[in-house]
Amino acid sequence: MSIFHLIFFIWILLIVKCLVALGSASWCQHQFLAQTNRQFEQKTDRFWEFKEQTNSWVEVQLPYDLVSCLNDNCTVVGSIEGTNNKEEHIENQSDDVSGKRERVKKNDGYGGLEKENNSDVVLPLRKRISLTKMSDMSIWVTGESGSIYERFWNGVQWVMAPHDLPISGAHAVSVFIVNHTILALSESGNLYQMKISESSQPIWVDFTPTLSQSTDEEGEQSSVILIKSGLVSYDGERVYFCTKKGTLLELREIEPPRWVDHGQPPGANAAAIADAAGIRTDVIYTISSAGDLYEYDRSSKPSWKKHIRREGTAYDASLIPLTGSTLHGASGDHSISLFLLTKDGKLVERRLYQRKWKWVVYGSPKDQRLTSITPVLLQDDTNGRLFSLFFTTSTGSVFEYQIPRQSGIAQENPIPEAWVSHIHPLHAKVARGISGLQIQVGRILFPLDDGRLAELHLSGLGGENSGPSHQVNFRKKAAVKYLWSILDAPESEGWNAEYCIEQRGPTNCITGVKDEPNDLGIARTMTRRRKGSQTQQHYLTPGTSGSGPTKPLEEYSFPDNWLNTNFHLRAMHGGRSFFLITDGGFTFEYLYTENVWMWLRHEHSTAIKGALGNYNGSLYVVDANGSVLLRERNSNDLAWINCTALRKGRQVVGGPPWDGIPGRTTRVTAEDALFFVSRNGRLLQFTVALRKFKWKDCRNPPNTKIASIVDQELLRENIVFVVGRNGRLYQYNKVTELWHEHYQSQHLILSRLPGTAMRSSLLSLTGSLFMLSVDGGLVEYHWNTFDGWNWVEHGSPHKVVTLVGSPGPSFEGNQLFLIGSNGNVYLRYMDEMTWRWKNCGFPFSRNANVEDRRGEEGNDKAQFCTDVDFAASSKKDYERVNDLNSDCNQEVAPIRPIPLAEDSIIFELKDGRLAEMRRIEGTHWMWSRIIGTPTSLCTASYWTALAS
């Protein structure tokens, strides 16, 4: 009780002090805020870390990563920089907070802070990426999205074949090829085996060790064994795994499965396998989470032995749990070397020479931290074997350490000149902590941080268009020049690589056949080399200012009716239901039920400004305060949920323009999310799958804020295209969380309106983004396999007409609707590989109050889309209608229309009513009916009810 009384007494003193000081409580409040707002100020470059193994303090070198580990899952949560290069952290708060301290706002696009030199940015750790070689013609890759694909040489060109795990298998993290059997490991720890089905199709079957399969040496059984990582033995006959419980598991035979559990080191765990029978047969070397090296030899007693680390050093001698590199004879005859990395990014060697083990420290290149090892064979002939070690760094570069050939005497001192820098590809960084893969002598494959692949190859050997070649021997003394080639990855990684096809041709998955001339008499190239502008093949790295002029952000203030203009209408259920947000802030649903169309009113306490999206039968709207509200059915009742009130929720000004392409079946996944634009111009991701609502700040491109979303995952899976307030096009990859700016000429400035995506086929990535320029012209950003990305300016349908409102919707991959400044609707369609215009005018009826004249005999010619410009006749029709009712104006308003079905579009008229256009066949469209709305003064012919 005495401690309680002491705390209570101190609390009373603080209250009295606040009350008497200056006769006001403001001083107390000021002092309290001053304490809570204090920022850490680094005043020294010297920091020490306590080592439990040696019970001593060891000074660390800066920069030093602060790592948080949970269940052996370690992530970098911060970094200590030198005081000279220190950057202030970005305030992750809304720009609306008054009194916020100004910070250095350098967003590196990687989730961290960018230094003055973009090459110094520490990359995030990609945990799902891996490379596995089956043969010279087959490389298996797991991507950051958890996909599996094979890069295969079909005799004509490299193709990509998908091999994704079943949905229940979640995300893949690695592939193992042993005894002509392919195994895949999922992130959840389950193992799968690829088999051939009765229909000769490859399928994945569960191969996870279970109770009936797994028995350890003491006879104890476990129900399920989840796997963390693995390594195929040196002879390729077995696979060794580290389980999530930290034990060493061996798969000796596959048919039938034979598992052997070797346990774990005393007082430690097996976090990674450093070597699998490469140094000695049946001897396995593992690394624990604490960074200790252990040796397992079942023929010795005890089976587990610990290799004591070199003590008394100024560096962190703890090892990174990763696969090392084993070399024989690197330091003399009968010597064996195991190269590993320490946690502070230095290269060390565990060497066995003349029956004695010793540690040799090689360090690292200046100001670099090594994160992975790739052994590379440079020469293998009668003159001997010549090796190099290639390393990836924490900042995305590649370094090579040339191992000199020794003859009898083991090397003791490292040679500083042995480090060679290969930097990284242009506009790309190599993934941190992921080993590369030598596919042939002189050709090394590395995964990039942005999801693509890159090949480091000798000049004249390798590259995207070069298949497996004969082995090339060269002497290291000769001048050797390495080049980088960037290889696109499949759509699931957010780039532009097409999956291969089964049809005859160069992109066939098994055997490529040279293309014959097509219908136009032009033979396509055998390779995937693009003929477009070389600049358009690359994406700009984060931090670059772009190729066009930037303007002050104040010039791009949004109009008051921005939300209502672009998110006025929203389709819910195809052909049966859509929502209308009125100018007064009311929400109405037009519902087809019991063979009758009727209006339902959804009441809310605050005015609604726009409908931003729908998912799984629920509507997402934004109110006058900028809050995202969810309208969903709960049992038999309808409810509102304020999503902005959830943790990390923000106020928004926009969302995705479309919820899907008519006719396409939406695939539901655990990563489903909607994207919004915040008031301060940042991209926000709101996870909606499985009702596990979660906000995430995706930030914004460098040097600009976001104006609107052009497309969300319709043109490219996992990609969100946006227009910046500077009028330029950007993309965000939700898998890699990277921003990229697309090439754009200086004279082309895009409107800040949302856009429309168009895909000619769901089986191909060929497609376009359609946007408007600031001068009211139609702009297309088109991609195809052979030409890459290209800009096409379509202009406007007539010299006196400009395009207004958001473009779209699109149909059939070749039809796009737009609204003209004269109130007419225009159709941009493709006819025999040529783009053409059709004028659809606006709906006209002799009696403006007559509803649903669909299919009525004697409709005027203006009811149909035509290639003839009939603006004059439409104007006369409008004047006649105006004479009948001054409250009616049947011209189409510049409000984004919506597709109601595969053959139906809903437009809004300037008098507040709605009009439907239907397709008869092909590109033939006609005005079908005019729909009265509860707020239009032109007609009162509608049914309305209150939604409960």
Side-chain angles (χ1 to χ4, degrees):
M1 293 296 294
S2 60
I3 296 178
F4 173 79
H5 290 148
L6 178 60
I7 295 176
F8 182 79
F9 179 73
I10 295 175
W11 182 60
I12 293 296
L13 285 179
L14 289 175
I15 293 178
V16 173
K17 183 177 180 180
C18 291
L19 291 176
V20 300
L22 301 179
S24 169
S26 61
W27 177 88
C28 185
Q29 180 182 9
H30 171 75
Q31 292 296 322
F32 175 76
L33 293 177
Q35 292 293 327
T36 57
N37 292 331
R38 292 180 64 184
Q39 302 292 324
F40 171 74
E41 182 179 359
Q42 181 177 334
K43 296 183 177 181
T44 180
D45 281 338
R46 303 193 67 186
F47 291 86
W48 286 263
E49 180 181 15
F50 184 76
K51 295 296 182 182
E52 296 181 358
Q53 295 82 2
T54 60
N55 197 30
S56 62
W57 290 92
V58 178
E59 185 173 359
V60 299
Q61 294 183 355
L62 302 184
Y64 181 75
D65 288 341
L66 301 176
V67 181
S68 173
C69 295
L70 180 62
N71 296 330
D72 296 336
N73 184 16
C74 298
T75 57
V76 177
V77 297
S79 181
I80 302 177
E81 309 288 344
T83 54
N84 294 332
N85 300 321
K86 181 183 175 185
E87 293 286 348
E88 295 182 84
H89 289 283
I90 298 177
E91 289 285 348
N92 192 19
Q93 300 175 356
S94 172
D95 289 350
D96 298 333
V97 178
S98 60
K100 184 185 72 174
R101 181 180 299 180
E102 288 297 323
R103 298 279 178 183
V104 178
K105 298 179 181 179
K106 292 187 177 179
N107 184 353
D108 62 6
Y110 297 97
L113 294 174
E114 181 190 12
K115 298 181 181 181
E116 292 296 336
N117 187 350
N118 192 49
S119 62
D120 292 337
V121 176
V122 176
L123 303 180
L125 187 60
R126 308 296 184 185
K127 298 181 180 180
R128 298 172 182 165
I129 298 177
S130 71
L131 301 176
T132 305
K133 180 178 179 180
M134 174 182 281
S135 66
D136 287 350
M137 298 189 301
S138 175
I139 308 298
W140 288 63
V141 184
T142 60
E144 179 64 14
S145 65
S147 64
I148 302 176
Y149 62 92
E150 178 186 6
R151 187 168 185 257
F152 178 76
W153 177 258
N154 64 5
V156 175
Q157 64 183 37
W158 290 100
V159 295
M160 301 286 189
H163 299 296
D164 286 342
L165 291 174
I167 296 178
S168 60
H171 308 289
V173 294
S174 58
V175 173
F176 310 98
I177 300 176
V178 52
N179 279 339
H180 307 289
T181 300
I182 302 173
L183 304 176
L185 177 63
S186 72
E187 194 173 37
S188 60
N190 298 99
L191 198 63
Y192 295 86
Q193 178 185 358
M194 176 172 282
K195 290 188 174 182
I196 303 300
S197 65
E198 296 179 356
S199 59
S200 300
Q201 295 296 322
I203 59 173
W204 292 102
V205 297
D206 189 23
F207 198 70
T208 305
T210 59
L211 175 65
S212 59
Q213 295 174 318
S214 175
T215 304
D216 63 19
E217 295 179 351
E218 297 180 0
E220 296 180 356
Q221 294 182 339
S222 60
S223 57
V224 176
I225 298 180
L226 298 180
I227 297 172
K228 179 181 179 181
S229 61
L231 182 65
V232 178
S233 64
Y234 184 77
D235 57 12
E237 300 292 330
R238 295 157 292 166
V239 190
Y240 293 89
F241 298 101
C242 290
T243 68
K244 291 198 172 185
K245 291 184 178 180
T247 61
L248 177 64
L249 185 67
E250 178 184 358
L251 176 59
R252 290 188 178 177
E253 297 178 8
I254 295 180
E255 296 294 345
R258 184 185 176 191
W259 298 92
V260 179
D261 190 347
H262 298 296
Q264 61 192 69
N269 64 350
I273 301 174
D275 174 78
I279 296 178
R280 287 187 294 168
T281 306
D282 295 329
V283 177
I284 311 302
Y285 293 84
T286 66
I287 301 175
S288 67
S289 298
D292 293 308
L293 179 64
Y294 289 89
E295 173 185 332
Y296 175 78
D297 185 357
R298 62 179 179 177
S299 62
S300 66
K301 297 295 181 180
S303 300
W304 288 97
K305 298 183 181 65
K306 180 179 179 180
H307 287 242
I308 304 301
R309 293 196 297 247
R310 185 174 181 177
E311 309 298 350
T313 59
Y315 66 93
D316 185 356
S318 301
L319 301 175
I320 302 177
L322 52 68
T323 300
S325 175
T326 304
L327 298 179
H328 291 262
S331 301
D333 296 338
H334 309 295
S335 67
I336 302 175
S337 301
L338 178 59
F339 291 92
L340 303 166
L341 296 180
T342 63
K343 290 185 177 181
D344 60 354
K346 289 181 169 52
L347 173 64
V348 297
E349 176 190 356
R350 186 58 170 166
R351 179 187 301 166
L352 177 61
Y353 182 68
Q354 295 180 351
R355 298 184 180 182
K356 293 183 179 180
W357 286 102
K358 65 170 56 180
W359 289 98
V360 179
V361 180
Y362 294 90
S364 61
K366 185 179 180 181
D367 300 327
Q368 298 291 336
R369 301 187 67 179
L370 309 178
T371 60
S372 73
I373 304 176
T374 303
V376 173
L377 175 64
L378 300 178
Q379 178 179 309
D380 187 6
D381 57 12
T382 57
N383 295 326
R385 299 165 68 87
L386 186 60
F387 284 95
S388 273
L389 296 179
F390 284 73
F391 304 88
T392 60
T393 69
S394 59
T395 56
S397 296
V398 171
F399 281 82
E400 175 187 0
Y401 185 81
Q402 301 173 355
I403 302 176
R405 185 177 178 183
Q406 302 295 318
S407 57
I409 300 177
Q411 176 189 354
E412 290 293 341
N413 299 318
I415 304 175
E417 295 78 10
W419 294 103
V420 177
S421 175
H422 297 287
I423 314 179
H424 51 76
L426 183 64
H427 303 314
K429 296 292 186 68
V430 179
R432 165 192 169 192
I434 309 298
S435 298
L437 181 68
Q438 183 178 20
I439 57 178
Q440 281 189 314
V441 171
R443 305 180 65 178
I444 315 165
L445 207 61
F446 289 95
L448 297 180
D449 183 64
D450 57 25
R452 296 177 293 177
L453 301 175
E455 183 179 330
L456 182 62
H457 56 89
L458 295 174
S459 177
L461 175 68
E464 181 181 9
N465 303 315
S466 176
S469 58
H470 298 291
Q471 298 294 319
V472 177
N473 295 327
F474 63 92
R475 298 187 179 278
K476 194 62 185 175
K477 293 181 180 180
V480 176
K481 182 180 180 181
Y482 279 97
L483 302 175
W484 284 103
S485 294
I486 294 183
L487 318 173
D488 274 343
E491 178 186 10
S492 58
E493 307 305 323
W495 294 97
N496 303 308
E498 303 266 10
Y499 283 125
C500 59
I501 60 176
E502 298 179 359
Q503 289 75 20
R504 180 181 186 274
T507 57
N508 180 269
C509 289
I510 304 300
T511 304
V513 181
K514 295 182 180 180
D515 264 349
E516 296 178 356
N518 53 28
D519 296 338
L520 299 178
I522 302 174
R524 286 183 172 179
T525 58
M526 291 184 298
T527 65
R528 300 173 72 90
R529 179 178 300 153
R530 297 177 189 157
K531 299 181 241 180
S533 170
Q534 192 72 16
T535 308
Q536 293 174 343
Q537 296 186 23
H538 301 290
Y539 294 82
L540 301 180
T541 56
T544 55
S545 60
S547 55
T550 58
K551 297 184 178 182
L553 299 180
E554 291 75 19
E555 293 186 21
Y556 303 120
S557 58
F558 293 101
D560 295 335
N561 62 343
W562 162 262
L563 274 167
N564 202 264
T565 300
N566 293 288
F567 303 99
H568 202 62
L569 300 166
R570 203 86 196 187
M572 176 59 71
H573 301 289
R576 298 188 296 113
S577 169
F578 67 86
F579 280 81
L580 166 68
I581 310 298
T582 68
D583 294 337
F586 298 105
T587 302
F588 288 95
E589 179 183 6
Y590 199 48
L591 178 66
Y592 186 75
T593 176
E594 298 181 355
N595 298 321
V596 175
W597 284 97
M598 65 180 300
W599 286 102
L600 294 178
R601 179 175 171 179
H602 296 257
E603 288 192 333
H604 192 263
S605 57
T606 58
I608 305 300
K609 288 299 184 181
L612 301 184
N614 73 73
Y615 177 79
N616 197 26
S618 299
L619 182 72
Y620 292 83
V621 300
V622 57
D623 66 5
N625 301 321
S627 300
V628 178
L629 305 176
L630 167 61
R631 182 64 161 169
E632 67 171 2
R633 182 171 295 279
N634 185 4
S635 185
N636 294 326
D637 299 326
L638 288 170
W640 290 99
I641 297 178
N642 190 334
C643 300
T644 297
L646 301 177
R647 183 174 179 267
K648 295 185 178 180
R650 299 289 184 87
Q651 296 175 328
V652 304
V653 294
W658 311 105
D659 301 303
I661 296 178
R664 177 194 290 190
T665 302
T666 303
R667 183 173 60 121
V668 178
T669 69
E671 288 82 21
D672 287 345
L674 294 178
F675 284 82
F676 303 104
V677 179
S678 70
R679 281 186 170 179
N680 56 351
R682 298 162 82 95
L683 185 67
L684 304 176
Q685 179 178 341
F686 184 58
T687 301
V688 295
L690 306 175
R691 290 187 56 82
K692 295 181 180 179
F693 300 133
K694 181 180 179 181
W695 285 96
K696 177 182 178 181
D697 186 356
C698 304
R699 303 187 179 182
N700 50 276
N703 306 322
T704 187
K705 295 183 178 181
I706 298 172
S708 65
I709 297 175
V710 175
D711 171 61
Q712 179 190 327
E713 300 185 79
L714 297 182
L715 184 66
R716 288 291 183 275
E717 184 179 352
N718 297 320
I719 291 296
V720 181
F721 290 92
V722 304
V723 172
R725 296 185 186 179
N726 57 1
R728 310 195 70 79
L729 181 66
Y730 300 86
Q731 74 172 44
Y732 173 77
N733 187 321
K734 75 175 189 179
V735 174
T736 60
E737 303 178 4
L738 297 180
W739 283 100
H740 291 273
E741 179 182 1
H742 285 262
Y743 170 80
Q744 192 171 325
S745 61
Q746 295 186 8
H747 81 279
L748 177 59
I749 301 178
L750 300 174
S751 164
R752 263 66 65 185
L753 296 171
T756 293
M758 181 183 290
R759 292 270 293 274
S760 58
S761 170
L762 298 181
L763 300 178
S764 172
L765 298 184
T766 298
S768 301
L769 294 175
F770 286 92
M771 298 154 283
L772 297 186
S773 62
V774 290
D775 56 2
L778 178 62
V779 178
E780 175 188 4
Y781 192 45
H782 178 74
W783 189 91
N784 63 57
T785 304
F786 298 94
D787 297 322
W789 287 105
N790 282 288
W791 289 97
V792 180
E793 298 190 48
H794 294 258
S796 60
H798 194 276
K799 61 182 179 181
V800 297
V801 176
T802 58
L803 300 176
V804 295
S806 303
S810 65
F811 292 87
E812 300 295 328
N814 60 5
Q815 302 172 53
L816 179 71
F817 284 88
L818 301 113
I819 301 173
S821 55
N822 56 358
N824 288 356
V825 172
Y826 292 90
L827 172 63
R828 186 64 164 167
Y829 70 100
M830 181 170 286
D831 180 27
E832 296 181 351
M833 303 302 294
T834 302
W835 283 104
R836 303 182 187 277
W837 289 101
K838 274 189 179 182
N839 188 340
C840 300
F842 53 84
F844 168 73
S845 60
R846 296 188 182 279
N847 185 350
N849 292 324
V850 175
E851 301 292 322
D852 199 356
R853 300 178 67 247
R854 183 188 320 169
E856 187 176 312
E857 296 268 348
N859 281 350
D860 291 337
K861 184 178 180 182
Q863 295 293 107
F864 297 88
C865 297
T866 175
D867 292 313
V868 180
D869 189 353
F870 53 88
S873 61
S874 297
K875 184 176 181 180
K876 293 178 181 179
D877 291 337
Y878 164 66
E879 291 173 351
R880 283 187 292 172
V881 172
N882 243 10
D883 292 339
L884 297 175
N885 191 336
S886 59
D887 292 325
C888 297
N889 184 345
Q890 294 174 213
E891 289 186 355
V892 178
I895 292 176
R896 184 174 60 86
I898 58 171
L900 183 58
E902 296 182 44
D903 59 351
S904 172
I905 319 170
I906 301 296
F907 294 88
E908 181 161 351
L909 305 181
K910 290 184 177 180
D911 56 26
R913 295 178 298 167
L914 304 177
E916 180 183 20
M917 182 179 287
R918 284 189 172 271
R919 179 171 54 189
I920 303 175
E921 61 176 336
T923 59
H924 299 290
W925 292 78
M926 65 170 292
W927 290 103
S928 173
R929 59 172 172 160
I930 296 178
I931 304 171
T933 61
T935 57
S936 175
L937 298 177
C938 182
T939 178
S941 178
Y942 59 87
W943 290 89
T944 183
L946 183 64
S948 60

